[in-house]
């Protein structure tokens, strides 16, 4: 994240000094026409988890490594694909003295996206919409302990695997001060069908449909080029 901020500041600083261009000037210029290819790194993301142990609190994943983005542009339309490796840690407590429980653990999730993008407003500051097919798989491991419900106490480790597939509309903005460089921010909404396989003292399976919101689906630094 720190590297991303430094790179973004470097681009904006140079755009101010390059040929007198002001970064506040959003008039379409000759250097804002779409180049054929776009390759990006997703420096930061906040994505809602598919499974949260029935907690009223929302689980969020954060990227542990920069994600990858690729786009193939044709006029105002683009084919796009992306990959992210995400992780989170969690601690859930029910402090009711008659029914106490604590669930803690960590999880990793991989997400793959492929879809279409449409540029709605062109220029150094562009606005676009997109629609993706999304596949995600997540793995959880941790410990569950407590007492109550006529149970004198339990303490066991668990593992959990979750898979999901769905569709994801998105909206984003992209600032492109240079012909070959841009910074992008995207928000996503995921409608996912998921399956969960829980392995512990009592194994069970679950499936359903979830609506997930990714407030920062992608904060990326992108390089534009022709072959």
């Amino acid at each position: 994240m720190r590297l991303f901020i430094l790179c973004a500041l470097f681009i904006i600083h140079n755009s101010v000094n390059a040929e007198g261009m002001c970064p506040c000037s959003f008039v379409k210029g000759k250097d804002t026409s779409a180049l054929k290819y776009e390759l990006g790194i997703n420096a930061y993301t906040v994505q809602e988890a598919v499974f949260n142990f029935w907690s009223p609190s929302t689980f969020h994943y954060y990227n542990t490594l920069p994600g990858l983005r690729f786009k193939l542009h044709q006029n105002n339309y683009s084919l796009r694909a992306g990959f992210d490796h995400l992780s989170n840690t969690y601690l859930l407590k029910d402090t009711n003295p008659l029914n106490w429980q604590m669930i803690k653990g960590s999880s990793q999730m991989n997400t793959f996206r492929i879809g279409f993008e449409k540029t709605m407003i062109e220029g150094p500051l562009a606005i676009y919409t997109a629609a993706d097919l999304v596949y995600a798989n997540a793995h959880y491991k941790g410990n569950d302990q407590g007492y109550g419900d006529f149970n004198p106490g339990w303490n066991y480790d668990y593992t959990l695997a979750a898979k999901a597939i769905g569709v994801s509309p998105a909206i984003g903005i992209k600032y492109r001060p240079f012909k070959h460089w841009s910074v992008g921010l995207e928000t996503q909404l995921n409608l996912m069908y998921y399956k969960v396989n829980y392995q512990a003292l009592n194994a069970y399976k679950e499936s359903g449909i979830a609506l997930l919101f990714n407030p920062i689906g992608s904060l990326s630094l992108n390089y534009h080029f022709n072959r």
Side-chain angles (χ1 to χ4, degrees), residues 80-115:
R80 51 187 253 157
F83 167 77
D84 287 296
H85 177 72
L86 312 165
S87 66
N88 78 341
T89 58
Y90 48 89
L91 176 63
L92 305 174
K93 286 185 177 182
D94 184 348
T95 57
N96 184 339
L98 299 179
N99 189 26
W100 183 87
Q101 185 177 16
M102 180 176 69
I103 300 175
K104 60 182 179 180
S106 63
S107 63
Q108 308 281 327
M109 181 171 74
N110 297 313
T111 62
F112 304 85
R113 293 174 170 269
I114 185 169

PDB file of all heavy atoms in Angstrom, residues 80-115:
ATOM      1  N   ARG A  80     -12.004  -7.806 -19.624  1.00  0.00           N
ATOM      2  CA  ARG A  80     -11.192  -7.639 -18.426  1.00  0.00           C
ATOM      3  C   ARG A  80     -11.128  -8.936 -17.639  1.00  0.00           C
ATOM      4  O   ARG A  80     -12.038  -9.777 -17.691  1.00  0.00           O
ATOM      5  CB  ARG A  80     -11.746  -6.523 -17.542  1.00  0.00           C
ATOM      6  CG  ARG A  80     -13.209  -6.625 -17.242  1.00  0.00           C
ATOM      7  CD  ARG A  80     -13.710  -5.405 -16.514  1.00  0.00           C
ATOM      8  NE  ARG A  80     -13.973  -5.716 -15.098  1.00  0.00           N
ATOM      9  CZ  ARG A  80     -13.998  -4.834 -14.127  1.00  0.00           C
ATOM     10  NH1 ARG A  80     -13.742  -3.575 -14.374  1.00  0.00           N
ATOM     11  NH2 ARG A  80     -14.269  -5.190 -12.888  1.00  0.00           N
ATOM     12  N   ALA A  81     -10.044  -9.081 -16.886  1.00  0.00           N
ATOM     13  CA  ALA A  81      -9.854 -10.244 -16.016  1.00  0.00           C
ATOM     14  C   ALA A  81      -9.044  -9.802 -14.807  1.00  0.00           C
ATOM     15  O   ALA A  81      -8.267  -8.841 -14.869  1.00  0.00           O
ATOM     16  CB  ALA A  81      -9.147 -11.369 -16.757  1.00  0.00           C
ATOM     17  N   GLY A  82      -9.238 -10.505 -13.683  1.00  0.00           N
ATOM     18  CA  GLY A  82      -8.513 -10.140 -12.472  1.00  0.00           C
ATOM     19  C   GLY A  82      -8.377 -11.308 -11.513  1.00  0.00           C
ATOM     20  O   GLY A  82      -9.167 -12.268 -11.552  1.00  0.00           O
ATOM     21  N   PHE A  83      -7.361 -11.215 -10.661  1.00  0.00           N
ATOM     22  CA  PHE A  83      -7.113 -12.228  -9.632  1.00  0.00           C
ATOM     23  C   PHE A  83      -6.650 -11.533  -8.362  1.00  0.00           C
ATOM     24  O   PHE A  83      -5.837 -10.605  -8.393  1.00  0.00           O
ATOM     25  CB  PHE A  83      -6.043 -13.223 -10.085  1.00  0.00           C
ATOM     26  CG  PHE A  83      -5.531 -14.099  -8.974  1.00  0.00           C
ATOM     27  CD1 PHE A  83      -6.282 -15.171  -8.526  1.00  0.00           C
ATOM     28  CD2 PHE A  83      -4.312 -13.831  -8.362  1.00  0.00           C
ATOM     29  CE1 PHE A  83      -5.824 -15.968  -7.488  1.00  0.00           C
ATOM     30  CE2 PHE A  83      -3.843 -14.624  -7.330  1.00  0.00           C
ATOM     31  CZ  PHE A  83      -4.602 -15.696  -6.893  1.00  0.00           C
ATOM     32  N   ASP A  84      -7.181 -11.992  -7.201  1.00  0.00           N
ATOM     33  CA  ASP A  84      -6.759 -11.479  -5.899  1.00  0.00           C
ATOM     34  C   ASP A  84      -6.584 -12.628  -4.924  1.00  0.00           C
ATOM     35  O   ASP A  84      -7.379 -13.583  -4.921  1.00  0.00           O
ATOM     36  CB  ASP A  84      -7.794 -10.507  -5.319  1.00  0.00           C
ATOM     37  CG  ASP A  84      -7.799  -9.170  -6.032  1.00  0.00           C
ATOM     38  OD1 ASP A  84      -6.775  -8.471  -5.967  1.00  0.00           O
ATOM     39  OD2 ASP A  84      -8.831  -8.825  -6.651  1.00  0.00           O
ATOM     40  N   HIS A  85      -5.550 -12.540  -4.094  1.00  0.00           N
ATOM     41  CA  HIS A  85      -5.356 -13.449  -2.969  1.00  0.00           C
ATOM     42  C   HIS A  85      -5.549 -12.628  -1.696  1.00  0.00           C
ATOM     43  O   HIS A  85      -4.828 -11.660  -1.461  1.00  0.00           O
ATOM     44  CB  HIS A  85      -3.974 -14.081  -2.993  1.00  0.00           C
ATOM     45  CG  HIS A  85      -3.717 -14.974  -1.819  1.00  0.00           C
ATOM     46  ND1 HIS A  85      -4.318 -16.214  -1.680  1.00  0.00           N
ATOM     47  CD2 HIS A  85      -2.948 -14.802  -0.716  1.00  0.00           C
ATOM     48  CE1 HIS A  85      -3.916 -16.768  -0.551  1.00  0.00           C
ATOM     49  NE2 HIS A  85      -3.088 -15.935   0.064  1.00  0.00           N
ATOM     50  N   LEU A  86      -6.534 -13.035  -0.866  1.00  0.00           N
ATOM     51  CA  LEU A  86      -6.963 -12.232   0.270  1.00  0.00           C
ATOM     52  C   LEU A  86      -6.880 -13.043   1.553  1.00  0.00           C
ATOM     53  O   LEU A  86      -6.856 -14.275   1.535  1.00  0.00           O
ATOM     54  CB  LEU A  86      -8.409 -11.756   0.061  1.00  0.00           C
ATOM     55  CG  LEU A  86      -8.701 -11.141  -1.313  1.00  0.00           C
ATOM     56  CD1 LEU A  86     -10.203 -11.046  -1.530  1.00  0.00           C
ATOM     57  CD2 LEU A  86      -8.066  -9.781  -1.433  1.00  0.00           C
ATOM     58  N   SER A  87      -6.868 -12.347   2.698  1.00  0.00           N
ATOM     59  CA  SER A  87      -6.821 -13.032   3.986  1.00  0.00           C
ATOM     60  C   SER A  87      -7.531 -12.200   5.041  1.00  0.00           C
ATOM     61  O   SER A  87      -7.745 -10.990   4.871  1.00  0.00           O
ATOM     62  CB  SER A  87      -5.366 -13.295   4.408  1.00  0.00           C
ATOM     63  OG  SER A  87      -4.695 -12.074   4.655  1.00  0.00           O
ATOM     64  N   ASN A  88      -7.890 -12.855   6.146  1.00  0.00           N
ATOM     65  CA  ASN A  88      -8.402 -12.130   7.307  1.00  0.00           C
ATOM     66  C   ASN A  88      -8.250 -12.998   8.559  1.00  0.00           C
ATOM     67  O   ASN A  88      -8.030 -14.208   8.494  1.00  0.00           O
ATOM     68  CB  ASN A  88      -9.867 -11.705   7.111  1.00  0.00           C
ATOM     69  CG  ASN A  88     -10.849 -12.841   7.336  1.00  0.00           C
ATOM     70  OD1 ASN A  88     -10.501 -14.008   7.310  1.00  0.00           O
ATOM     71  ND2 ASN A  88     -12.102 -12.499   7.534  1.00  0.00           N
ATOM     72  N   THR A  89      -8.326 -12.366   9.706  1.00  0.00           N
ATOM     73  CA  THR A  89      -8.380 -13.044  11.002  1.00  0.00           C
ATOM     74  C   THR A  89      -9.630 -12.570  11.725  1.00  0.00           C
ATOM     75  O   THR A  89     -10.098 -11.444  11.492  1.00  0.00           O
ATOM     76  CB  THR A  89      -7.135 -12.760  11.854  1.00  0.00           C
ATOM     77  OG1 THR A  89      -7.015 -11.339  12.050  1.00  0.00           O
ATOM     78  CG2 THR A  89      -5.879 -13.273  11.166  1.00  0.00           C
ATOM     79  N   TYR A  90     -10.171 -13.402  12.610  1.00  0.00           N
ATOM     80  CA  TYR A  90     -11.429 -13.049  13.254  1.00  0.00           C
ATOM     81  C   TYR A  90     -11.469 -13.605  14.670  1.00  0.00           C
ATOM     82  O   TYR A  90     -10.821 -14.597  15.007  1.00  0.00           O
ATOM     83  CB  TYR A  90     -12.622 -13.572  12.442  1.00  0.00           C
ATOM     84  CG  TYR A  90     -12.492 -15.013  12.031  1.00  0.00           C
ATOM     85  CD1 TYR A  90     -12.949 -16.044  12.860  1.00  0.00           C
ATOM     86  CD2 TYR A  90     -11.900 -15.358  10.824  1.00  0.00           C
ATOM     87  CE1 TYR A  90     -12.818 -17.366  12.497  1.00  0.00           C
ATOM     88  CE2 TYR A  90     -11.768 -16.683  10.446  1.00  0.00           C
ATOM     89  CZ  TYR A  90     -12.228 -17.687  11.279  1.00  0.00           C
ATOM     90  OH  TYR A  90     -12.100 -19.007  10.924  1.00  0.00           O
ATOM     91  N   LEU A  91     -12.252 -12.938  15.501  1.00  0.00           N
ATOM     92  CA  LEU A  91     -12.500 -13.350  16.883  1.00  0.00           C
ATOM     93  C   LEU A  91     -13.933 -12.988  17.218  1.00  0.00           C
ATOM     94  O   LEU A  91     -14.294 -11.805  17.259  1.00  0.00           O
ATOM     95  CB  LEU A  91     -11.532 -12.657  17.842  1.00  0.00           C
ATOM     96  CG  LEU A  91     -11.755 -12.925  19.337  1.00  0.00           C
ATOM     97  CD1 LEU A  91     -11.562 -14.407  19.647  1.00  0.00           C
ATOM     98  CD2 LEU A  91     -10.819 -12.070  20.183  1.00  0.00           C
ATOM     99  N   LEU A  92     -14.778 -14.006  17.439  1.00  0.00           N
ATOM    100  CA  LEU A  92     -16.193 -13.810  17.744  1.00  0.00           C
ATOM    101  C   LEU A  92     -16.474 -14.295  19.157  1.00  0.00           C
ATOM    102  O   LEU A  92     -16.055 -15.386  19.529  1.00  0.00           O
ATOM    103  CB  LEU A  92     -17.070 -14.581  16.749  1.00  0.00           C
ATOM    104  CG  LEU A  92     -16.840 -14.284  15.272  1.00  0.00           C
ATOM    105  CD1 LEU A  92     -17.664 -15.225  14.416  1.00  0.00           C
ATOM    106  CD2 LEU A  92     -17.173 -12.846  14.948  1.00  0.00           C
ATOM    107  N   LYS A  93     -17.199 -13.483  19.926  1.00  0.00           N
ATOM    108  CA  LYS A  93     -17.500 -13.851  21.306  1.00  0.00           C
ATOM    109  C   LYS A  93     -18.970 -13.618  21.609  1.00  0.00           C
ATOM    110  O   LYS A  93     -19.542 -12.600  21.233  1.00  0.00           O
ATOM    111  CB  LYS A  93     -16.662 -13.028  22.286  1.00  0.00           C
ATOM    112  CG  LYS A  93     -15.195 -13.416  22.367  1.00  0.00           C
ATOM    113  CD  LYS A  93     -14.492 -12.611  23.456  1.00  0.00           C
ATOM    114  CE  LYS A  93     -13.051 -13.028  23.616  1.00  0.00           C
ATOM    115  NZ  LYS A  93     -12.365 -12.269  24.709  1.00  0.00           N
ATOM    116  N   ASP A  94     -19.566 -14.584  22.285  1.00  0.00           N
ATOM    117  CA  ASP A  94     -20.882 -14.434  22.904  1.00  0.00           C
ATOM    118  C   ASP A  94     -20.639 -14.457  24.411  1.00  0.00           C
ATOM    119  O   ASP A  94     -20.303 -15.500  24.978  1.00  0.00           O
ATOM    120  CB  ASP A  94     -21.805 -15.569  22.477  1.00  0.00           C
ATOM    121  CG  ASP A  94     -23.228 -15.395  23.034  1.00  0.00           C
ATOM    122  OD1 ASP A  94     -23.421 -14.527  23.923  1.00  0.00           O
ATOM    123  OD2 ASP A  94     -24.121 -16.123  22.573  1.00  0.00           O
ATOM    124  N   THR A  95     -20.785 -13.315  25.060  1.00  0.00           N
ATOM    125  CA  THR A  95     -20.392 -13.187  26.471  1.00  0.00           C
ATOM    126  C   THR A  95     -21.533 -13.470  27.443  1.00  0.00           C
ATOM    127  O   THR A  95     -21.410 -13.202  28.643  1.00  0.00           O
ATOM    128  CB  THR A  95     -19.842 -11.773  26.730  1.00  0.00           C
ATOM    129  OG1 THR A  95     -20.835 -10.803  26.365  1.00  0.00           O
ATOM    130  CG2 THR A  95     -18.579 -11.536  25.908  1.00  0.00           C
ATOM    131  N   ASN A  96     -22.634 -14.023  26.952  1.00  0.00           N
ATOM    132  CA  ASN A  96     -23.728 -14.418  27.838  1.00  0.00           C
ATOM    133  C   ASN A  96     -23.202 -15.448  28.842  1.00  0.00           C
ATOM    134  O   ASN A  96     -22.714 -16.516  28.456  1.00  0.00           O
ATOM    135  CB  ASN A  96     -24.858 -15.022  27.004  1.00  0.00           C
ATOM    136  CG  ASN A  96     -26.078 -15.371  27.833  1.00  0.00           C
ATOM    137  OD1 ASN A  96     -26.003 -15.537  29.052  1.00  0.00           O
ATOM    138  ND2 ASN A  96     -27.216 -15.494  27.160  1.00  0.00           N
ATOM    139  N   PRO A  97     -23.273 -15.182  30.165  1.00  0.00           N
ATOM    140  CA  PRO A  97     -22.684 -16.119  31.144  1.00  0.00           C
ATOM    141  C   PRO A  97     -23.357 -17.486  31.159  1.00  0.00           C
ATOM    142  O   PRO A  97     -22.770 -18.461  31.644  1.00  0.00           O
ATOM    143  CB  PRO A  97     -22.865 -15.384  32.479  1.00  0.00           C
ATOM    144  CG  PRO A  97     -23.980 -14.425  32.249  1.00  0.00           C
ATOM    145  CD  PRO A  97     -23.871 -14.002  30.812  1.00  0.00           C
ATOM    146  N   LEU A  98     -24.586 -17.583  30.634  1.00  0.00           N
ATOM    147  CA  LEU A  98     -25.266 -18.875  30.586  1.00  0.00           C
ATOM    148  C   LEU A  98     -25.040 -19.613  29.271  1.00  0.00           C
ATOM    149  O   LEU A  98     -25.396 -20.787  29.154  1.00  0.00           O
ATOM    150  CB  LEU A  98     -26.772 -18.669  30.797  1.00  0.00           C
ATOM    151  CG  LEU A  98     -27.180 -18.033  32.136  1.00  0.00           C
ATOM    152  CD1 LEU A  98     -28.689 -17.871  32.205  1.00  0.00           C
ATOM    153  CD2 LEU A  98     -26.667 -18.867  33.311  1.00  0.00           C
ATOM    154  N   ASN A  99     -24.487 -18.917  28.306  1.00  0.00           N
ATOM    155  CA  ASN A  99     -24.289 -19.532  26.982  1.00  0.00           C
ATOM    156  C   ASN A  99     -23.087 -18.867  26.320  1.00  0.00           C
ATOM    157  O   ASN A  99     -23.214 -18.142  25.348  1.00  0.00           O
ATOM    158  CB  ASN A  99     -25.556 -19.350  26.131  1.00  0.00           C
ATOM    159  CG  ASN A  99     -25.491 -20.146  24.844  1.00  0.00           C
ATOM    160  OD1 ASN A  99     -24.802 -21.151  24.761  1.00  0.00           O
ATOM    161  ND2 ASN A  99     -26.210 -19.689  23.844  1.00  0.00           N
ATOM    162  N   TRP A 100     -21.902 -19.120  26.856  1.00  0.00           N
ATOM    163  CA  TRP A 100     -20.685 -18.434  26.413  1.00  0.00           C
ATOM    164  C   TRP A 100     -20.035 -19.199  25.273  1.00  0.00           C
ATOM    165  O   TRP A 100     -19.992 -20.426  25.264  1.00  0.00           O
ATOM    166  CB  TRP A 100     -19.709 -18.327  27.587  1.00  0.00           C
ATOM    167  CG  TRP A 100     -18.447 -17.578  27.271  1.00  0.00           C
ATOM    168  CD1 TRP A 100     -18.238 -16.241  27.346  1.00  0.00           C
ATOM    169  CD2 TRP A 100     -17.210 -18.162  26.828  1.00  0.00           C
ATOM    170  NE1 TRP A 100     -16.951 -15.939  26.981  1.00  0.00           N
ATOM    171  CE2 TRP A 100     -16.293 -17.100  26.650  1.00  0.00           C
ATOM    172  CE3 TRP A 100     -16.791 -19.467  26.563  1.00  0.00           C
ATOM    173  CZ2 TRP A 100     -14.986 -17.296  26.229  1.00  0.00           C
ATOM    174  CZ3 TRP A 100     -15.487 -19.672  26.133  1.00  0.00           C
ATOM    175  CH2 TRP A 100     -14.600 -18.589  25.980  1.00  0.00           C
ATOM    176  N   GLN A 101     -19.514 -18.435  24.282  1.00  0.00           N
ATOM    177  CA  GLN A 101     -18.839 -19.070  23.151  1.00  0.00           C
ATOM    178  C   GLN A 101     -17.792 -18.116  22.580  1.00  0.00           C
ATOM    179  O   GLN A 101     -17.996 -16.893  22.537  1.00  0.00           O
ATOM    180  CB  GLN A 101     -19.829 -19.455  22.047  1.00  0.00           C
ATOM    181  CG  GLN A 101     -19.189 -20.235  20.900  1.00  0.00           C
ATOM    182  CD  GLN A 101     -20.206 -20.655  19.852  1.00  0.00           C
ATOM    183  OE1 GLN A 101     -21.322 -20.134  19.809  1.00  0.00           O
ATOM    184  NE2 GLN A 101     -19.825 -21.607  19.008  1.00  0.00           N
ATOM    185  N   MET A 102     -16.696 -18.686  22.101  1.00  0.00           N
ATOM    186  CA  MET A 102     -15.655 -17.908  21.420  1.00  0.00           C
ATOM    187  C   MET A 102     -15.174 -18.696  20.208  1.00  0.00           C
ATOM    188  O   MET A 102     -14.783 -19.860  20.318  1.00  0.00           O
ATOM    189  CB  MET A 102     -14.476 -17.615  22.352  1.00  0.00           C
ATOM    190  CG  MET A 102     -13.359 -16.809  21.684  1.00  0.00           C
ATOM    191  SD  MET A 102     -12.009 -16.357  22.812  1.00  0.00           S
ATOM    192  CE  MET A 102     -11.282 -17.987  23.111  1.00  0.00           C
ATOM    193  N   ILE A 103     -15.236 -18.058  19.047  1.00  0.00           N
ATOM    194  CA  ILE A 103     -14.748 -18.634  17.798  1.00  0.00           C
ATOM    195  C   ILE A 103     -13.621 -17.737  17.285  1.00  0.00           C
ATOM    196  O   ILE A 103     -13.814 -16.526  17.127  1.00  0.00           O
ATOM    197  CB  ILE A 103     -15.857 -18.735  16.738  1.00  0.00           C
ATOM    198  CG1 ILE A 103     -17.001 -19.615  17.241  1.00  0.00           C
ATOM    199  CG2 ILE A 103     -15.301 -19.285  15.431  1.00  0.00           C
ATOM    200  CD1 ILE A 103     -18.188 -19.652  16.293  1.00  0.00           C
ATOM    201  N   LYS A 104     -12.470 -18.319  17.050  1.00  0.00           N
ATOM    202  CA  LYS A 104     -11.352 -17.540  16.514  1.00  0.00           C
ATOM    203  C   LYS A 104     -10.682 -18.333  15.403  1.00  0.00           C
ATOM    204  O   LYS A 104     -10.768 -19.569  15.354  1.00  0.00           O
ATOM    205  CB  LYS A 104     -10.344 -17.203  17.607  1.00  0.00           C
ATOM    206  CG  LYS A 104      -9.719 -18.409  18.289  1.00  0.00           C
ATOM    207  CD  LYS A 104      -8.761 -17.963  19.391  1.00  0.00           C
ATOM    208  CE  LYS A 104      -8.145 -19.176  20.105  1.00  0.00           C
ATOM    209  NZ  LYS A 104      -7.201 -18.764  21.185  1.00  0.00           N
ATOM    210  N   GLY A 105     -10.018 -17.605  14.517  1.00  0.00           N
ATOM    211  CA  GLY A 105      -9.337 -18.291  13.430  1.00  0.00           C
ATOM    212  C   GLY A 105      -8.847 -17.323  12.376  1.00  0.00           C
ATOM    213  O   GLY A 105      -8.823 -16.104  12.563  1.00  0.00           O
ATOM    214  N   SER A 106      -8.449 -17.890  11.257  1.00  0.00           N
ATOM    215  CA  SER A 106      -7.963 -17.119  10.114  1.00  0.00           C
ATOM    216  C   SER A 106      -8.439 -17.796   8.837  1.00  0.00           C
ATOM    217  O   SER A 106      -8.800 -18.978   8.837  1.00  0.00           O
ATOM    218  CB  SER A 106      -6.433 -17.016  10.127  1.00  0.00           C
ATOM    219  OG  SER A 106      -5.853 -18.303  10.008  1.00  0.00           O
ATOM    220  N   SER A 107      -8.431 -17.045   7.751  1.00  0.00           N
ATOM    221  CA  SER A 107      -8.869 -17.621   6.481  1.00  0.00           C
ATOM    222  C   SER A 107      -8.140 -16.949   5.321  1.00  0.00           C
ATOM    223  O   SER A 107      -7.644 -15.827   5.431  1.00  0.00           O
ATOM    224  CB  SER A 107     -10.385 -17.480   6.309  1.00  0.00           C
ATOM    225  OG  SER A 107     -10.753 -16.114   6.262  1.00  0.00           O
ATOM    226  N   GLN A 108      -8.099 -17.685   4.215  1.00  0.00           N
ATOM    227  CA  GLN A 108      -7.512 -17.221   2.970  1.00  0.00           C
ATOM    228  C   GLN A 108      -8.551 -17.389   1.864  1.00  0.00           C
ATOM    229  O   GLN A 108      -9.299 -18.369   1.853  1.00  0.00           O
ATOM    230  CB  GLN A 108      -6.258 -18.026   2.621  1.00  0.00           C
ATOM    231  CG  GLN A 108      -5.224 -18.127   3.726  1.00  0.00           C
ATOM    232  CD  GLN A 108      -4.392 -16.874   3.831  1.00  0.00           C
ATOM    233  OE1 GLN A 108      -4.120 -16.212   2.837  1.00  0.00           O
ATOM    234  NE2 GLN A 108      -3.967 -16.544   5.044  1.00  0.00           N
ATOM    235  N   MET A 109      -8.587 -16.433   0.931  1.00  0.00           N
ATOM    236  CA  MET A 109      -9.544 -16.534  -0.165  1.00  0.00           C
ATOM    237  C   MET A 109      -8.886 -16.085  -1.475  1.00  0.00           C
ATOM    238  O   MET A 109      -8.144 -15.104  -1.509  1.00  0.00           O
ATOM    239  CB  MET A 109     -10.781 -15.667   0.105  1.00  0.00           C
ATOM    240  CG  MET A 109     -11.828 -15.757  -0.999  1.00  0.00           C
ATOM    241  SD  MET A 109     -13.406 -14.941  -0.604  1.00  0.00           S
ATOM    242  CE  MET A 109     -12.928 -13.215  -0.773  1.00  0.00           C
ATOM    243  N   ASN A 110      -9.180 -16.837  -2.543  1.00  0.00           N
ATOM    244  CA  ASN A 110      -8.768 -16.462  -3.896  1.00  0.00           C
ATOM    245  C   ASN A 110     -10.007 -16.103  -4.705  1.00  0.00           C
ATOM    246  O   ASN A 110     -11.023 -16.814  -4.643  1.00  0.00           O
ATOM    247  CB  ASN A 110      -8.032 -17.609  -4.588  1.00  0.00           C
ATOM    248  CG  ASN A 110      -6.742 -17.980  -3.882  1.00  0.00           C
ATOM    249  OD1 ASN A 110      -5.949 -17.104  -3.541  1.00  0.00           O
ATOM    250  ND2 ASN A 110      -6.536 -19.262  -3.645  1.00  0.00           N
ATOM    251  N   THR A 111      -9.941 -15.022  -5.459  1.00  0.00           N
ATOM    252  CA  THR A 111     -11.053 -14.629  -6.322  1.00  0.00           C
ATOM    253  C   THR A 111     -10.554 -14.434  -7.749  1.00  0.00           C
ATOM    254  O   THR A 111      -9.470 -13.887  -7.973  1.00  0.00           O
ATOM    255  CB  THR A 111     -11.720 -13.323  -5.837  1.00  0.00           C
ATOM    256  OG1 THR A 111     -10.763 -12.254  -5.881  1.00  0.00           O
ATOM    257  CG2 THR A 111     -12.237 -13.477  -4.421  1.00  0.00           C
ATOM    258  N   PHE A 112     -11.366 -14.905  -8.690  1.00  0.00           N
ATOM    259  CA  PHE A 112     -11.075 -14.774 -10.111  1.00  0.00           C
ATOM    260  C   PHE A 112     -12.250 -14.056 -10.767  1.00  0.00           C
ATOM    261  O   PHE A 112     -13.413 -14.398 -10.508  1.00  0.00           O
ATOM    262  CB  PHE A 112     -10.881 -16.146 -10.755  1.00  0.00           C
ATOM    263  CG  PHE A 112      -9.816 -16.986 -10.102  1.00  0.00           C
ATOM    264  CD1 PHE A 112     -10.113 -17.770  -8.997  1.00  0.00           C
ATOM    265  CD2 PHE A 112      -8.518 -16.991 -10.600  1.00  0.00           C
ATOM    266  CE1 PHE A 112      -9.142 -18.553  -8.394  1.00  0.00           C
ATOM    267  CE2 PHE A 112      -7.546 -17.772 -10.002  1.00  0.00           C
ATOM    268  CZ  PHE A 112      -7.848 -18.552  -8.898  1.00  0.00           C
ATOM    269  N   ARG A 113     -11.937 -13.109 -11.658  1.00  0.00           N
ATOM    270  CA  ARG A 113     -12.972 -12.338 -12.332  1.00  0.00           C
ATOM    271  C   ARG A 113     -12.683 -12.283 -13.828  1.00  0.00           C
ATOM    272  O   ARG A 113     -11.536 -12.156 -14.245  1.00  0.00           O
ATOM    273  CB  ARG A 113     -13.029 -10.898 -11.815  1.00  0.00           C
ATOM    274  CG  ARG A 113     -13.481 -10.758 -10.389  1.00  0.00           C
ATOM    275  CD  ARG A 113     -13.387  -9.312  -9.895  1.00  0.00           C
ATOM    276  NE  ARG A 113     -14.063  -9.203  -8.614  1.00  0.00           N
ATOM    277  CZ  ARG A 113     -15.335  -8.902  -8.465  1.00  0.00           C
ATOM    278  NH1 ARG A 113     -16.063  -8.617  -9.530  1.00  0.00           N
ATOM    279  NH2 ARG A 113     -15.884  -8.853  -7.280  1.00  0.00           N
ATOM    280  N   ILE A 114     -13.759 -12.342 -14.622  1.00  0.00           N
ATOM    281  CA  ILE A 114     -13.656 -12.109 -16.058  1.00  0.00           C
ATOM    282  C   ILE A 114     -14.962 -11.462 -16.505  1.00  0.00           C
ATOM    283  O   ILE A 114     -16.046 -11.873 -16.065  1.00  0.00           O
ATOM    284  CB  ILE A 114     -13.361 -13.407 -16.833  1.00  0.00           C
ATOM    285  CG1 ILE A 114     -13.137 -13.107 -18.310  1.00  0.00           C
ATOM    286  CG2 ILE A 114     -14.450 -14.454 -16.629  1.00  0.00           C
ATOM    287  CD1 ILE A 114     -12.581 -14.272 -19.097  1.00  0.00           C
ATOM    288  N   GLY A 115     -14.855 -10.434 -17.350  1.00  0.00           N
ATOM    289  CA  GLY A 115     -16.075  -9.750 -17.742  1.00  0.00           C
ATOM    290  C   GLY A 115     -15.845  -8.664 -18.773  1.00  0.00           C
ATOM    291  O   GLY A 115     -14.832  -8.642 -19.486  1.00  0.00           O
TER     292      GLY A 115
END
